[in-house]
Amino acid sequence: MNKPPLSVYLKLVCVALFWGGTFIAGRIVSTEIPHMIAAAGRFLVACVFLLLLAWRVEGGLPKLTRQQKHATFGLGATGIFLYNICFLAALERMPAGRSALFVSLSPIITALSMAVLFRERLGGLKWLGIAIAFVGAAIVLTRGDVFTVVHDISSSMGAGELFMLGAVGSWTAYTILGKHALKGLTPIAATTYASLWGLLLLSMGALNQLPLLDTSKLTWQVLSAIAFLGIFGTVIGFVWYYEGVKAIGPARTAVFNNLVPVFGVSLSSLMLNEPILISMIIGGALVIVGVSLTNRVR
């Protein structure tokens, strides 16, 4: 068996960097322009590049069956439309670093959902990982004062946290649909169709928000952030991630996802001057350990 080239691993580190950077770009955009317009701009950019990619790599997009139309619409409605609305609404209300740690719970919520909905068995190690990850999330969420939430949940669970829960739930639905609803579509085709459906839904909302748009807020920083979200956070991240899956397998590739909150917290401190709290370090480390145990392959 040939050893994968070093470039595969470097690309996967870059993917984690790009995805960590989406929290900073999202924070910049969400505080300046309406969320639907920002998200529609992101996926307008992404869809252009995804269509070019599909044409170059696969000769275009395949014609969808009725079941595939329903499935890709579901992907677009959950992982593109709902996720991005919740993602940007949360980033308007809470620091990017905390958001990055919070959303790293997605694999845990997915594992629990698969166990409940599809009776997938979770061994003792996976249950331990889930428990550790939830303890870590509680530490991050309550800024280290876990027992306060028992007496006053509103002190820790604001609107930002609730929107972030919505983002996690949306991504969980997207992940489950992607595993069970799509048959006969390549990852590029499925992602492109999902993005096109998501763009359609976001564009309808964006039209309603046009009167709220202050064009003076469309600075080079905001436009660059939207371009980053579309090109690096969506298209390049997707392509390089699946190159990793093909070269070293899904389990080993998924390990690199643990770097996303690390980069998210680090970049939020460097670029947005957000404080790094001890509770974020301890809680984030526990979440990463818990996710690693839950995703561990026997």
Side-chain angles (χ1 to χ4, degrees), residues 65-290:
T65 65
R66 185 172 182 178
Q67 186 272 338
Q68 288 170 337
K69 287 178 183 177
H70 293 159
T72 52
F73 177 81
L75 292 176
T78 55
I80 310 299
F81 179 67
L82 288 176
Y83 175 83
N84 279 274
I85 291 173
C86 293
F87 173 75
L88 292 172
L91 284 170
E92 183 185 10
R93 295 164 172 84
M94 64 187 292
R98 268 168 57 81
S99 301
L101 291 171
F102 200 76
V103 82
S104 63
L105 274 176
S106 290
I108 301 294
I109 304 299
T110 301
L112 284 173
S113 299
M114 296 293 287
V116 172
L117 297 175
F118 298 99
R119 299 291 189 268
E120 287 197 3
R121 291 192 62 186
L122 298 176
L125 195 62
K126 290 183 182 291
W127 280 114
L128 176 62
I130 289 170
I132 291 173
F134 274 118
V135 170
I139 292 172
V140 172
L141 188 64
T142 62
R143 298 174 178 85
D145 193 3
V146 178
F147 296 104
T148 299
V149 75
V150 177
H151 305 290
D152 183 13
I153 192 170
S154 63
S155 64
S156 299
M157 288 291 290
E161 285 78 9
L162 292 174
F163 276 118
M164 213 64 236
L165 278 176
V168 171
S170 301
W171 193 256
T172 297
Y174 175 86
T175 303
I176 292 173
L177 277 172
K179 286 183 177 180
H180 291 272
L182 293 174
K183 303 293 181 184
L185 287 179
T186 65
I188 290 177
T191 302
T192 303
Y193 273 119
S195 297
L196 288 168
W197 282 119
L199 176 61
L200 176 64
L201 295 171
L202 289 167
S203 297
M204 291 190 289
L207 288 174
N208 290 328
Q209 288 190 336
L210 278 178
L212 304 175
L213 177 64
D214 180 358
T215 54
S216 67
K217 296 291 184 69
L218 294 174
T219 61
W220 71 266
Q221 292 97 331
V222 169
L223 294 176
S224 297
I226 292 173
F228 175 86
L229 288 167
I231 297 172
F232 291 93
T234 307
V235 181
I236 295 178
F238 160 80
V239 173
W240 285 1
Y241 188 83
Y242 277 97
E243 282 184 14
V245 170
K246 186 175 181 180
I248 64 175
R252 292 170 68 189
T253 301
V255 172
F256 287 84
N257 289 337
N258 293 329
L259 292 175
V260 174
V262 176
F263 281 125
V265 171
S266 302
L267 290 172
S268 67
S269 177
L270 290 171
M271 301 180 70
L272 302 177
N273 296 317
E274 292 181 1
I276 299 179
L277 306 176
I278 295 297
S279 60
M280 291 169 61
I281 297 173
I282 296 173
L286 288 173
V287 170
I288 290 171
V289 170

